[in-house]
Amino acid sequence: MDTYIYMVRHGESPKEGDERTRGLTAKGYEDALLIGELLRNEEIDVVLSSPYKRSILSVQPIAKQIGQEVIVIDNLKERMFTGENNRMSDKELLPLLKKSFEDPYFSLSGAESNTDCQKRAVKVLQEILNVYKGRRVVVGTHGAIMTLMMGFYSPDYSLDFLLQTTKPDIYRMQFNVQQLVEVKKLWKE
């Protein structure tokens, strides 16, 4: 029996504030309800999330539909681009992302490299595949860490992929034990 992981990139969030506590904009809240509607017929068994508020809020409607709480997993947090919790502007982040995908060991002082983040995240994903084998699992996540997890299984998931994702976005990953079988984009703008 295959396992399905639904990677749900969080909805739109405010442009300023602390990485951990930034919530969603009005559009982000509307999209969270749409995520719940889109996943309603997917027979979801469990909902996991990054500890960041915007991710939790993005998957909360589906957790409520199945009568469960969102299970927060700290190591699903977004890649740490700096040693601080403040949001980087897109103008600052883009060159850092480009350099990080060119050199996966690159990081700013006190931050995490793509390699470090991928190791952390894939370890969690592999544990999820073991614990929830044969089930359907929603994972509330972020763009970079989602791309790095998916990129572990296929080179198709690189910086170009990340730059084409939206907020929110949903990808259903089908696994046979630990082997990725198929990825399907479910979110449509």
Side-chain angles (χ1 to χ4, degrees):
M1 181 179 281
D2 287 347
T3 304
Y4 292 86
I5 304 292
Y6 297 78
M7 293 286 185
V8 178
R9 185 179 187 194
H10 65 81
E12 184 180 273
S13 61
K15 300 272 186 213
E16 291 139 8
D18 181 273
E19 276 298 288
R20 285 190 171 265
T21 59
R22 278 188 300 129
L24 295 172
T25 62
K27 181 184 183 316
Y29 278 106
E30 289 173 21
D31 286 341
L33 295 174
L34 293 174
I35 291 167
E37 286 302 311
L38 184 66
L39 297 179
R40 180 179 295 280
N41 296 321
E42 291 290 323
E43 300 176 12
I44 302 301
D45 294 299
V46 66
V47 180
L48 312 174
S49 179
S50 153
Y52 292 10
K53 188 174 181 180
R54 60 193 181 274
S55 289
I56 296 168
L57 292 171
S58 294
V59 296
Q60 226 164 26
I62 190 67
K64 285 181 182 175
Q65 284 177 20
I66 64 171
Q68 295 182 15
E69 295 292 320
V70 175
I71 299 169
V72 174
I73 299 176
D74 193 62
N75 275 336
L76 288 175
K77 65 187 173 200
E78 178 62 297
R79 180 185 156 203
M80 297 181 312
F81 292 101
T82 68
E84 301 170 8
N85 272 335
N86 291 331
R87 182 186 186 278
M88 293 181 79
S89 70
D90 292 344
K91 185 179 178 180
E92 295 171 302
L93 187 58
L94 186 57
L96 182 59
L97 281 171
K98 286 180 179 177
K99 187 161 185 162
S100 295
F101 277 89
E102 289 168 5
D103 175 5
Y105 295 96
F106 168 78
S107 70
L108 297 176
S109 178
E112 201 174 30
S113 69
N114 273 6
T115 299
D116 293 336
C117 179
Q118 186 179 57
K119 283 180 187 175
R120 166 176 59 86
V122 168
K123 181 179 178 184
V124 173
L125 182 55
Q126 290 172 340
E127 289 172 13
I128 291 168
L129 289 169
N130 285 331
V131 170
Y132 299 104
K133 185 177 179 180
R135 298 177 80 190
R136 293 174 178 265
V137 181
V138 167
V139 176
T141 190
H142 307 270
I145 192 170
M146 176 182 77
T147 301
L148 293 170
M149 283 189 277
M150 294 170 75
F152 176 80
Y153 295 95
S154 170
D156 293 342
Y157 305 101
S158 62
L159 179 61
D160 289 337
F161 167 79
L162 172 59
L163 296 176
Q164 292 175 27
T165 63
T166 58
K167 293 180 189 174
D169 218 338
I170 305 173
Y171 295 87
R172 183 180 65 207
M173 301 174 72
Q174 179 181 352
F175 288 88
N176 183 318
V177 188
Q178 293 281 335
Q179 182 178 353
L180 181 63
V181 176
E182 178 185 55
V183 176
K184 182 175 181 184
K185 180 180 173 78
L186 300 182
W187 183 258
K188 308 234 184 325
E189 284 292 317

